[in-house]
Amino acid sequence: MKKYITLLFLIVLVFACKENKNENSDTATVPKEVKKPNIKLYTFDGGKVMVNNLELFSQDTTYHGKTKEFADAFYVISHPNGNLMWDAGLPETLVGLPEPFTDPSGAFTVSRKDSVVNQLKSIGMGIDDIKYIALSHSHFDHTGHANTFKNATWLVQEIEYDSITSATSQKTNTDNYNAIKELTNTKKLNGDFDVFGDGSVVIKSMPGHTPGHQVLYLDLIEHGPLLLSGDLYHLYENREHKRVPIFNFDVDQTLKSMDKFEAFAKENKAKVYLQHQKEDFNKMPKAPNYLN
């Protein structure tokens, strides 16, 4: 009888332990659901660039004698934890001019119709609603209204910051320097940067066009992943054939960044938007409409 009771006790004990192990195991293997933040991408018109000498955009004579109209967009990414402005269009001194402006070399004819303040009103925002500003790079067609956001935090690659603010740059690239000189609240980056810490808005370092050129990755709920190219590519043909503008800072760096960009886009199944390609600009819903 005692043997029977002991055996029964052991069977119950083993069964209880097994059940407890299974419960713990089930709990451990059930993944926690990660909810994507609901971010919105607003696209704005930062002006128009008529390229009168398209040959500047290749290392060879492919574009000899050709011209091309470029779009010049800027964007606001609205995230539950703050708003990021990506790029800043052409200089606002162009707004209100009776005719487009052609630079002394004759290579570019540029125009801009509206200010950033007026355009932000269309989505119910003002200057102080922008928490971060990030520029793909510090050329004149991407820094136009940057100083307007001097209270925002400028997210900039350290090497780009050092280049544009150097004593030499202040003398030889005065207009480019003056366009960002009031952005004194800086966060200097050394590589990729997850802006909000959840993988939904990530600045990717892609040097070559300038020392600290960068692109922007967004993971939208409905649209899905996308990449804003900055000036890594200006034209569909340049992306297809890996053509590099003659004025890029470093050709080899640019080519390496192109390879890195394409690998990342493929891995993340991201749709690519070329910021200067007018056709891509026209595909994007314009503020107050948005992608999410």
Side-chain angles (χ1 to χ4, degrees), residues 216-218 223-228 239 261-262 264-273:
L216 188 67
Y217 170 77
L218 303 175
H223 178 280
L226 69 82
L227 280 159
L228 297 176
R239 184 183 179 198
F261 180 93
E262 296 301 336
F264 181 82
K266 183 178 180 180
E267 179 185 354
N268 290 275
K269 299 179 180 178
K271 185 172 179 59
V272 174
Y273 290 90

Side-chain angles (χ1 to χ4, degrees), residues 42-258:
Y42 294 96
T43 301
F44 297 90
D45 186 356
K48 183 170 68 175
V49 180
M50 187 65 201
V51 181
N52 303 317
N53 180 13
L54 197 63
E55 194 171 348
L56 295 171
F57 290 84
S58 180
Q59 298 287 315
D60 53 28
T61 58
T62 297
Y63 300 127
H64 180 71
K66 295 183 179 180
T67 63
K68 181 80 174 180
E69 182 182 308
F70 283 179
D72 201 335
F74 67 94
Y75 310 84
V76 168
I77 296 87
S78 178
H79 185 281
N81 294 332
N83 301 309
L84 165 71
M85 178 166 288
W86 177 255
D87 277 334
L90 286 157
E92 290 199 342
T93 52
L94 296 169
V95 177
L97 291 183
E99 298 292 336
F101 172 79
T102 300
D103 78 291
S105 74
F108 303 101
T109 298
V110 295
S111 61
R112 179 167 175 166
K113 292 182 179 180
D114 205 357
S115 70
V116 64
V117 172
N118 280 340
Q119 293 191 67
L120 283 178
K121 286 179 182 177
S122 71
I123 59 172
M125 288 188 190
I127 294 171
D128 292 335
D129 291 309
I130 303 300
K131 184 175 183 179
Y132 301 108
I133 182 168
L135 310 171
S136 57
H137 61 294
S138 51
H139 285 167
F140 78 100
D141 53 330
H142 293 260
T143 60
H145 56 248
N147 283 332
T148 303
F149 299 91
K150 60 186 177 182
N151 293 328
T153 298
W154 181 22
L155 305 176
V156 56
Q157 298 294 327
E158 186 169 12
I159 193 171
E160 185 84 0
Y161 179 87
D162 290 345
S163 174
I164 193 62
T165 61
S166 68
T168 300
S169 182
Q170 290 183 43
K171 291 180 180 178
T172 61
N173 296 311
T174 306
D175 289 341
N176 284 357
Y177 168 72
N178 285 339
I180 53 85
K181 69 179 181 181
E182 294 183 41
L183 298 179
T184 57
N185 183 17
T186 61
K187 181 175 180 59
K188 298 174 186 177
L189 313 178
N190 287 284
D192 298 350
F193 179 66
D194 188 341
V195 179
F196 298 103
D198 55 20
S200 64
V201 182
V202 181
I203 292 171
K204 303 286 294 179
S205 173
M206 298 283 169
H209 185 63
T210 62
H213 180 271
Q214 50 193 16
V215 305
L216 188 67
Y217 170 77
L218 303 175
D219 190 5
L220 303 177
I221 291 177
E222 293 186 9
H223 178 280
L226 69 82
L227 280 159
L228 297 176
S229 69
D231 276 10
L232 181 63
Y233 305 110
H234 296 79
L235 306 160
Y236 294 144
E237 297 88 344
N238 280 20
R239 184 183 179 198
E240 181 181 356
H241 301 290
K242 296 180 69 174
R243 292 178 184 146
V244 179
I246 64 172
F247 54 89
N248 271 33
F249 169 74
D250 189 306
V251 173
D252 288 339
Q253 270 193 342
T254 302
L255 293 172
K256 288 177 182 177
S257 289
M258 287 176 175

